[in-house]
Amino acid sequence: MHLKSIRGAWPTEASGSPTSKILRQLAYGKAVIKTEGTAAVVNWSSDGQTLWFDGQQIALQAFRACIQATVAETGQALAELMFDDRPTIDLGAIQDSLSWEGKYNAAGCSFVNASNGFDQGFRYQLRRAIAAPDRLLSPDADGVLQYLERPCLVFLRRERRFLDRLMCCFHLCGGQPARAPELGSLKVCNTPYTARGLYIVAGEVVFITSYDKNMARRDDVESVLRFLPPAVGILLVRYLVFVRPFARALPANKRHDHYLFATTRGPFTDRQATPALKSVTKRFLGYAPDGLGFAAYRHVAIAIARRHCRKEYQDWHDCALDDGSSRDKEDNIFDCQAGHSRRTAEQHYAVQAGFLHRIQQPQGPHCPDPQPAVKRARLTSPSALTSTVADEMQQAKSGEQQDAMQFVLQTQDASIVVLRTAGGKSLLFLGTATLQADRITIVIVPYLALRTDLLMRAKTHGIHAQQWSAGAAGGASLMVVSADVAVTAAFQHYATDLALHGRLRHIFFDECHVAITETSFRGALQWLWLLRNIPAPFTCLTATLPPALEMQFREQLLLNDVPIFRRSTERPSIGYGVVDYRRDPGQTLLSCTLDYARVKQAIWTSHQRGIVYVRSMADGERVAAALGCSFYTARAV
């Protein structure tokens, strides 16, 4: 009866237990985040040297200085523990192995052993402690050295502060950052049932973690290997050889575990690790008010890797292809090291906040000037095109289309073409597809409606075109693929195989500006730079690339040094104006839009048209009903 009265006072909406209510809330939250997407948290400056995380500025120069200062402070903390001594250790001479065979699988095994000459580390540190001004030992009445309790407690507190700083060095310098429980799981030596996490490989210190949140569900875990820079590796080895054995032998010591980062209560968790990381990022990085915690720093590090380490990923990707590795080629080395999937990274980590704040920026030192006009050069053999495509090009009011076609055909590697809307960009790939019917031209499009329209236009011009899908039959001279599919491993293999066999003529990326304008809600688009790995001519087409965004676009798609063909994108047939709906207190944005549209409807001729852009499906349905017009939607593929 008592339990029933408690449940009556705290109902759980007809669920059998509080747990079912919690699970229902978790499922609801998951559905919301899948529908709405993760809030954007990262912005980059045009030169890529400053990022804004949660609205706060972080300069990469300050970021590098923070890491250097943290390593220097850690070295000073270790010097105090070693009584201002810095013994030389040759990491290249240390014998160790990642294998789990022979002597290397024995309990207690580590590279800090007698075979490497490290068995005298405790005695060395003890002699330094006896000779130090702040003695930890003092002779008793019989002349026997005894540990002094207070100095020993001070020494152990200094060791704890050093480990806090060393853990920050691991986090800041060890590649894509681990989670706090991963660092807390590192063991300095083998135990009877588990392997250690610290190794020496070819003179470099390596730490290996195997933490996985999905291990219980998948019954599988992947080990993550991270290398430490020499400056941090030598600090770790000195600590393990000299300080750790001495500290564990002190009478005041209450730690008797195999973990590197631990307290008397067990390995480090977020509660112990986060304050240390926040402290160094607040002091050395200036991140207010409290510094970056583990989760926040993961966003920052992942954002920097995406922006500045694409070349390293490409090298790893090429090596994976060359060595016949069975790893899925869609895997990203940075995502693997950060301990999450590519999909998780795209949806939840370092989501880019957008680009609109850049459009109205004045031309600055990082905003390239518009390219000079390219000297007009007519196609020398327009008869190579089909008659219908040639007719369209001849009917153009200017020679921009033919200039652009000549520009594309003369480009051997990659190029960018900026022409106004309805300026004939589609004729570039339609014309290219007709030059050699035995070779394939690939067109990448970001929208379903655009793909459908392109297939219909190709059919009208007598061009054999088809939509790409894995395992689809060949024979088409024009292959159309959605942008989200173009970054998959299956398509990358298909296109690369065509190129290696001489069957791929050209790759076009239509409406290419989506590579920087839509990555915040279409995560796959941020990997479009992978198309640059395909050994074939690559041309980006757009009417929406202002000069202020050109550098960002080039960096996003690895097009830094490629030529650009730019013409005016102004459309003289369209008038521009601004109406301030806030002048009338009774007006709303929607009502003002409807009033303006009705006025235009009344004066337009039967041949004039207008488009109303809306912010939501609900607004679109209301506008369509009020104006008696159709409501067009085109979902992204």
Side-chain angles (χ1 to χ4, degrees):
M1 294 297 295
H2 180 62
L3 179 60
K4 185 176 181 180
S5 63
I6 293 177
R7 286 191 60 188
W10 304 94
T12 56
E13 297 183 2
S15 59
S17 68
T19 303
S20 60
K21 171 65 175 179
I22 294 172
L23 293 176
R24 188 183 299 116
Q25 291 294 96
L26 288 174
Y28 175 75
K30 187 174 182 180
V32 170
I33 198 66
K34 183 179 292 187
T35 303
E36 300 296 330
T38 303
V41 294
V42 171
N43 265 327
W44 279 99
S45 63
S46 59
D47 62 352
Q49 295 303 306
T50 304
L51 66 85
W52 283 262
F53 175 74
D54 273 352
Q56 291 202 48
Q57 178 177 315
I58 300 176
L60 292 194
Q61 183 177 358
F63 188 82
R64 289 188 287 266
C66 172
I67 296 176
Q68 294 167 359
T70 303
V71 174
E73 187 178 71
T74 306
Q76 182 59 39
L78 180 63
E80 293 178 2
L81 290 174
M82 298 190 66
F83 309 104
D84 293 324
D85 187 28
R86 294 176 174 84
T88 301
I89 298 177
D90 183 6
L91 297 182
I94 298 178
Q95 298 179 9
D96 197 13
S97 175
L98 290 170
S99 67
W100 187 247
E101 298 178 356
K103 64 180 182 179
Y104 294 107
N105 70 351
C109 175
S110 75
F111 60 81
V112 185
N113 50 39
S115 63
N116 285 315
F118 294 148
D119 55 332
Q120 298 299 314
F122 170 78
R123 294 180 180 273
Y124 182 92
Q125 181 75 353
L126 180 61
R127 289 194 295 269
R128 296 289 302 175
I130 294 173
D134 298 332
R135 293 187 175 182
L136 276 69
L137 299 95
S138 179
D140 59 12
D142 298 328
V144 178
L145 290 174
Q146 300 290 336
Y147 287 101
L148 302 177
E149 182 178 3
R150 184 176 180 82
C152 288
L153 290 174
V154 172
F155 184 89
L156 291 174
R157 283 196 292 269
R158 288 178 178 174
E159 183 202 20
R160 168 59 196 274
R161 288 196 294 270
F162 164 77
L163 289 176
D164 287 343
R165 291 168 174 80
L166 183 64
M167 180 209 61
C168 292
C169 290
F170 273 53
H171 201 61
L172 296 173
C173 304
Q176 289 295 276
R179 301 174 180 85
E182 292 181 70
L183 294 178
S185 68
L186 290 174
K187 295 183 175 68
V188 300
C189 63
N190 294 341
T191 68
Y193 305 105
T194 58
R196 57 194 163 109
L198 303 171
Y199 299 85
I200 304 292
V201 177
E204 296 188 72
V205 177
V206 176
F207 67 99
I208 300 177
T209 59
S210 56
Y211 172 78
D212 192 326
K213 293 189 294 185
N214 296 320
M215 183 173 58
R217 177 168 59 89
R218 299 187 313 184
D219 194 25
D220 184 28
V221 64
E222 289 190 5
S223 297
V224 180
L225 184 144
R226 298 177 175 91
F227 285 82
L228 291 175
V232 179
I234 194 67
L235 296 180
L236 171 67
V237 175
R238 285 175 181 165
Y239 168 75
L240 294 178
V241 173
F242 301 104
V243 177
R244 180 182 169 86
F246 178 77
R248 298 293 79 81
L250 296 178
N253 171 63
K254 296 182 179 180
R255 277 192 58 191
H256 302 285
D257 54 71
H258 300 288
Y259 295 104
L260 174 61
F261 303 114
T263 65
T264 55
R265 297 183 178 181
F268 280 6
T269 62
D270 287 311
R271 180 173 297 180
Q272 291 82 31
T274 299
L277 185 62
K278 285 186 173 182
S279 174
V280 298
T281 53
K282 180 180 180 180
R283 289 184 291 119
F284 300 137
L285 189 59
Y287 193 88
D290 301 320
L292 292 168
F294 267 73
Y297 178 79
R298 280 170 64 84
H299 283 280
V300 173
I302 290 170
I304 292 174
R306 287 178 183 170
R307 178 83 179 197
H308 293 282
C309 299
R310 293 194 183 97
K311 179 61 167 61
E312 286 70 15
Y313 167 74
Q314 184 173 347
D315 293 343
W316 173 84
H317 183 273
D318 294 342
C319 290
L321 289 173
D322 293 340
D323 65 12
S325 172
S326 60
R327 175 180 290 278
D328 185 354
K329 301 307 182 297
E330 288 192 32
D331 286 350
N332 184 310
I333 185 62
F334 302 124
D335 296 335
C336 292
Q337 194 176 61
H340 51 230
S341 67
R342 173 174 168 177
R343 179 180 178 183
T344 298
E346 293 172 352
Q347 294 181 349
H348 302 293
Y349 282 97
V351 178
Q352 185 115 355
F355 73 104
L356 294 177
H357 68 288
R358 305 179 190 278
I359 291 181
Q360 296 180 346
Q361 287 183 351
Q363 292 289 330
H366 303 297
C367 296
D369 295 329
Q371 292 288 324
V374 178
K375 184 177 181 180
R376 180 174 299 180
R378 300 289 181 179
L379 281 173
T380 57
S381 56
S383 59
L385 306 179
T386 62
S387 59
T388 53
V389 176
D391 290 343
E392 286 198 28
M393 296 188 69
Q394 294 299 329
Q395 293 169 6
K397 295 181 179 180
S398 71
E400 291 181 355
Q401 295 162 321
Q402 296 186 18
D403 290 342
M405 175 63 79
Q406 190 70 48
F407 173 79
V408 169
L409 295 178
Q410 291 176 349
T411 302
Q412 299 299 318
D413 179 25
S415 59
I416 305 170
V417 175
V418 183
L419 290 175
R420 69 180 186 276
T421 302
K425 295 185 297 295
S426 60
L427 295 180
L428 300 180
F429 48 77
L430 291 175
T432 303
T434 65
L435 292 177
Q436 285 181 296
D438 59 334
R439 299 175 69 185
I440 295 176
T441 298
I442 293 176
V443 183
I444 298 165
V445 294
Y447 306 115
L448 174 62
L450 185 59
R451 186 185 68 191
T452 303
D453 179 71
L454 175 56
L455 291 172
M456 292 179 61
R457 289 195 63 189
K459 183 179 180 179
T460 302
H461 291 307
I463 299 173
H464 185 189
Q466 71 179 71
Q467 175 186 342
W468 183 85
S469 61
S477 59
L478 185 68
M479 192 68 69
V480 184
V481 59
S482 67
D484 298 76
V485 175
V487 299
T488 62
F491 177 78
Q492 295 277 321
H493 292 318
Y494 164 79
T496 302
D497 182 70
L498 288 180
L500 295 178
H501 288 83
R503 296 177 56 209
L504 179 57
R505 177 171 182 80
H506 210 110
I507 299 176
F508 289 90
F509 181 12
D510 199 15
E511 305 296 340
C512 60
H513 56 271
V514 300
I516 57 174
T517 62
E518 298 189 9
T519 54
S520 60
F521 57 92
R522 293 177 67 183
L525 298 186
Q526 66 182 293
W527 302 106
L528 286 168
W529 59 270
L530 289 172
L531 298 170
R532 298 286 286 118
N533 292 330
I534 302 172
F538 179 75
T539 298
C540 294
L541 307 174
T542 182
T544 317
L545 185 63
L549 287 176
E550 185 179 317
M551 179 169 288
Q552 182 190 358
F553 175 78
R554 287 176 176 273
E555 292 179 349
Q556 180 67 23
L557 291 182
L558 300 181
L559 299 170
N560 292 322
D561 300 320
V562 307
I564 183 171
F565 179 94
R566 180 186 288 277
R567 290 293 183 268
S568 173
T569 55
E570 182 182 2
R571 301 181 66 183
S573 61
I574 296 180
Y576 299 88
V578 177
V579 177
D580 187 357
Y581 72 93
R582 294 169 296 184
R583 291 180 300 180
D584 186 351
Q587 284 273 35
T588 64
L589 178 60
L590 187 60
S591 63
C592 181
T593 302
L594 291 173
D595 292 344
Y596 186 82
R598 291 189 181 102
V599 170
K600 292 296 182 181
Q601 277 184 315
I603 62 176
W604 279 344
T605 66
S606 59
H607 299 292
Q608 290 180 302
R609 298 288 186 271
I611 300 176
V612 179
Y613 293 93
V614 294
R615 295 184 174 183
S616 67
M617 293 284 291
D619 285 349
E621 292 170 352
R622 284 195 289 269
V623 170
L627 299 179
C629 62
S630 58
F631 178 32
Y632 174 81
T633 62
R635 66 180 182 86
V637 185

